[in-house]
């Protein structure tokens, strides 16, 4: 359907070298967008994703970036504009996950989770948002988590960071709406990715998980990517400041 087309648009996906970020980059390319795939992973993985995007007939760019470093983020924006001609969509997906009780969490681990999972989102929104303000249009999608809304033991730093992503999304939606820029978030439940392997490889966890999720399974990365496509397209043209929960009904 034309309303879901991303033809003639340019997107950036951080964390695009694997998991949900990779699925989003490929889905957007299939919908017609040229894509900058950005991640801290090694260049070969990024180039592999970029090559797959080119196989769909779209332009692509692979950029290694540490989203916690402003200089890296600024370079990511400049390279994308230089090579692809602009930025219409930003998807923040770079994240890490760490388990430990808050009373035992080391200071450097707390800072690492908050830096990657929240500060990096702000730096990317800030750098790309300034360009979008200049062009009076744009679309930002932040990948949060069900953990932003539901406190879980041993996941304190991750819960706090993702809750911050939800509020960052709301504040930016208020500040940028006047420039025709929409800002939304997606909060996935457990998705079968490498980052969540400690959960889905644990038979005990999976038995408990299957018992409380109405759909009786984990999400696949493409199922999150399809929601991102909805938010990136004109199909959601009057939605901003919203967080879509994609958890198989678990919160119900």
């Amino acid at each position: 359907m034309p309303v879901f087309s991303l033809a003639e648009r340019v997107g950036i996906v951080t964390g695009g070298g694997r998991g949900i970020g990779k699925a989003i980059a490929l889905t957007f390319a299939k919908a017609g967008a040229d894509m900058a795939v950005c991640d801290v992973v090694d260049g070969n993985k990024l180039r592999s994703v970029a090559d797959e995007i080119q196989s769909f007939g779209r332009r692509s760019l692979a950029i290694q970036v540490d989203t916690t470093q402003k200089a890296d983020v600024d370079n990511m924006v400049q390279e994308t504009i230089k090579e692809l001609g602009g930025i219409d969509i930003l998807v923040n997906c770079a994240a890490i996950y760490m388990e430990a009780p808050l009373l035992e969490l080391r200071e450097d681990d707390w800072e690492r989770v908050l830096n990657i999972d929240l500060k990096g989102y702000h730096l990317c929104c800030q750098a790309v948002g300034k360009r979008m303000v200049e062009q009076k249009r744009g679309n930002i999608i932040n990948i949060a988590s069900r953990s932003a809304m539901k406190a879980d033991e041993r996941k304190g730093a991750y819960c706090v960071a993702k809750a911050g992503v939800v509020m960052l999304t709301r504040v930016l939606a208020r500040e940028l709406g006047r420039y025709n820029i929409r800002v939304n978030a997606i909060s996935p439940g457990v998705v079968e990715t490498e980052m969540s392997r400690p959960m889905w490889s644990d038979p005990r966890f999976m038995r408990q998980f299957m018992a409380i999720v109405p759909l009786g399974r984990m999400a696949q990365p493409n199922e999150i990517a399809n929601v991102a496509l909805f938010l990136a397209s004109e199909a959601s043209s009057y939605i901003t400041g919203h967080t879509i929960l994609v958890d198989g009904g678990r919160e119900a």
Side-chain angles (χ1 to χ4, degrees):
M1 295 175 64
V3 74
F4 289 101
S5 173
L6 300 183
E8 300 182 2
R9 298 187 196 179
V10 174
I12 290 178
V13 178
T14 68
R18 52 194 167 182
I20 295 172
K22 176 181 176 180
I24 290 173
L26 296 177
T27 297
F28 282 15
K30 290 176 183 178
D34 297 324
M35 297 300 303
V37 184
C38 309
D39 207 319
V40 74
V41 299
D42 70 80
N44 290 330
K45 285 186 178 180
L46 282 179
R47 281 189 291 272
S48 176
V49 180
D51 289 344
E52 193 169 351
I53 288 170
Q54 290 178 7
S55 73
F56 304 142
R58 308 313 311 166
R59 295 182 298 162
S60 66
L61 190 61
I63 306 174
Q64 278 190 282
V65 57
D66 179 349
T67 56
T68 69
Q69 302 299 312
K70 188 177 186 302
D72 273 21
V73 172
D74 289 342
N75 177 69
M76 174 186 75
V77 172
Q78 293 165 8
E79 283 296 306
T80 302
I81 292 173
K82 176 184 175 182
E83 298 296 330
L84 300 180
I87 304 170
D88 301 294
I89 306 163
L90 165 67
V91 179
N92 281 308
C93 193
I96 63 169
Y97 173 83
M98 189 176 297
E99 285 199 15
L102 281 177
L103 295 187
E104 299 175 14
L105 186 67
R106 294 175 13 172
E107 181 180 2
D108 58 343
D109 286 338
W110 167 270
E111 290 178 348
R112 185 163 181 254
V113 174
L114 269 290
N115 281 343
I116 295 173
D117 293 7
L118 182 56
K119 175 188 173 182
Y121 281 41
H122 172 243
L123 290 178
C124 292
C125 287
Q126 187 178 62
V128 175
K130 289 178 180 179
R131 301 289 183 169
M132 290 179 172
V133 166
E134 293 174 358
Q135 65 195 22
K136 298 293 192 294
R137 71 179 188 282
N139 197 318
I140 297 173
I141 301 167
N142 295 318
I143 305 301
S145 169
R146 173 187 173 275
S147 296
M149 307 168 187
K150 183 75 171 180
D152 288 315
E153 294 183 26
R154 300 181 57 82
K155 301 178 184 178
Y158 185 75
C159 290
V160 169
K162 290 303 186 178
V165 168
V166 170
M167 186 52 69
L168 175 70
T169 299
R170 293 175 180 173
V171 174
L172 285 171
R174 290 291 303 270
E175 293 184 351
L176 301 180
R178 68 193 64 143
Y179 302 106
N180 193 34
I181 300 168
R182 296 192 294 114
V183 189
N184 292 289
I186 301 171
S187 284
V190 180
V191 183
E192 190 174 350
T193 65
E194 189 60 34
M195 189 171 80
S196 65
R197 178 181 290 275
M199 289 181 279
W200 55 260
S201 62
D202 180 347
R204 180 181 176 186
F205 171 85
M206 289 306 297
R207 283 194 299 271
Q208 295 173 340
F209 178 79
M210 296 300 186
I212 60 176
V213 175
L215 291 185
R217 62 178 179 83
M218 290 183 296
Q220 296 300 311
N222 68 292
E223 293 179 298
I224 310 304
N226 289 337
V227 178
L229 175 60
F230 165 68
L231 290 175
S233 72
E234 289 304 305
S236 61
S237 58
Y238 200 59
I239 298 177
T240 194
H242 189 62
T243 299
I244 297 180
L245 183 63
V246 188
D247 70 343
R250 183 176 180 181
E251 200 61 30

